[in-house]
Amino acid sequence: MHCPTRALSSLFSGSLSQPFSFHSHRYLCSRSNPIHSHPHSQPQPQLPTPTPITVLRPWEQAAVAVGSAVGAFINPARADFVAALGETTGGPAFHLILERMKASPEGQQILNERPRVIASQVQHAWDMPENTFGGAYAKFMGSRNFSPDDRPPVRFVESEELAYVAQRAREVHDFWHVLFNCPTSVVGELALKMVEFQQTLLPMCFLSVAGASWRLKSEQRAALFKHYGPWAMRAGRSARDLMCIYYEKHLHEDLDEVRSKWGYALYSEQFP
């Protein structure tokens, strides 16, 4: 177990004097590693070794949360700040998600088998037809030069089981982009965060919307809360539990069919 004080200081080991840049997907979804357009073009990694977690006392958790919030505000490109903020504020929500997964047969299977959405495990999606869920996912990732291996590890949670729940939520986010047809524009990310909040109650989803919506133009901000927000709330309520679906077992299925089966409602118009 690491020293919590060192854990806090390690968040600031990267230079906060890095050029200020805002990339919506990194800021909202906690990406960190170099990106690759196609898993086949890179050496395929083995399943990653679990990262040791740091169990924080309440005051230490608060300190990391405040420190990471300040760091993310100063430099939104620092995915480690965003990830740490999500972990230190999401404890109660992660517990609720865990209980729902344990109560669901499919969720329980996920907890037992602990699949990972990493390149070596989903690379077969790149060989699937475009009309399939897997083919659409591969197209989404490849067109944006995203890699399934981009997500940072979970560090600040109270147990190894909750760490997997947090990691799972982080890794299946790109599946949700495909299923809800939300682009990686700022508006698209914020709309998807609203869907996530409706389903998971993770504070980081709310904080992402509150923190990033001010960067929008006034007409975009108005549209977000007048049109996209209400859609996101309805979509979140109507969809099956996002965390209790074993997505990897359905990659070969028709995209429209899985959307219908899981109750995933699409926005009626094009996102900006």
Side-chain angles (χ1 to χ4, degrees):
M1 182 178 297
H2 299 296
C3 171
T5 303
R6 291 181 182 177
L8 177 59
S9 64
S10 71
L11 284 174
F12 294 91
S13 59
S15 172
L16 288 178
S17 61
Q18 296 173 6
F20 182 89
S21 61
F22 177 73
H23 189 299
S24 64
H25 210 280
R26 287 193 176 187
Y27 175 69
L28 297 172
C29 308
S30 305
R31 294 184 174 275
S32 62
N33 297 333
I35 55 180
H36 313 296
S37 60
H38 194 301
H40 290 317
S41 65
Q42 300 294 325
Q44 299 306 318
Q46 300 297 315
L47 284 173
T49 301
T51 300
I53 60 175
T54 300
V55 180
L56 304 177
R57 289 174 287 188
W59 72 267
E60 294 164 336
Q61 187 176 42
V64 172
V66 172
S68 57
V70 172
F73 179 81
I74 295 174
N75 190 344
R78 285 288 299 274
D80 51 348
F81 288 141
V82 180
L85 181 59
E87 293 160 24
T88 53
T89 60
F94 286 134
H95 276 285
L96 291 174
I97 293 171
L98 177 60
E99 292 307 310
R100 293 204 310 272
M101 293 179 74
K102 287 182 176 180
S104 161
E106 196 166 356
Q108 185 62 60
Q109 186 180 11
I110 294 169
L111 292 174
N112 290 337
E113 298 181 7
R114 299 201 175 184
R116 294 294 308 277
V117 186
I118 56 177
S120 62
Q121 304 301 302
V122 297
Q123 61 184 11
H124 57 290
W126 270 252
D127 299 320
M128 294 180 180
E130 286 192 10
N131 67 298
T132 63
F133 174 28
Y137 166 71
K139 182 179 179 180
F140 170 86
M141 299 292 281
S143 65
R144 293 163 173 79
N145 279 341
F146 289 166
S147 166
D149 297 334
D150 284 351
R151 305 296 182 181
V154 173
R155 294 183 292 167
F156 305 118
V157 290
E158 63 185 76
S159 72
E160 186 266 345
E161 189 173 40
L162 286 177
Y164 176 73
V165 172
Q167 193 73 39
R168 178 71 175 174
R170 192 170 291 172
E171 291 181 348
V172 298
H173 179 87
D174 287 321
F175 289 152
W176 300 339
H177 267 288
V178 174
L179 290 165
F180 287 103
N181 197 31
C182 288
T184 52
S185 63
V186 178
V187 171
E189 290 286 1
L190 295 180
L192 187 56
K193 281 297 175 189
M194 291 179 178
V195 175
E196 291 181 53
F197 182 72
Q198 172 69 31
Q199 281 252 343
T200 67
L201 298 181
L202 284 167
M204 189 59 212
C205 299
F206 174 82
L207 294 172
S208 295
V209 176
S213 60
W214 68 272
R215 296 176 180 273
L216 297 172
K217 295 179 180 179
S218 57
E219 59 270 20
Q220 289 180 314
R221 189 182 308 110
L224 175 67
F225 293 109
K226 183 177 180 180
H227 301 294
Y228 307 123
W231 162 79
M233 296 297 102
R234 292 193 301 271
R237 286 193 298 268
S238 67
R240 271 189 56 187
D241 194 324
L242 297 177
M243 291 296 295
C244 294
I245 298 177
Y246 206 141
Y247 298 99
E248 296 89 329
K249 292 184 177 294
H250 302 276
L251 292 175
H252 65 284
E253 298 179 20
D254 182 84
L255 176 61
D256 291 334
E257 290 181 2
V258 295
R259 281 172 172 161
S260 177
K261 176 170 60 176
W262 296 331
Y264 283 21
L266 305 184
Y267 187 65
S268 58
E269 299 178 15
Q270 186 72 31
F271 278 94

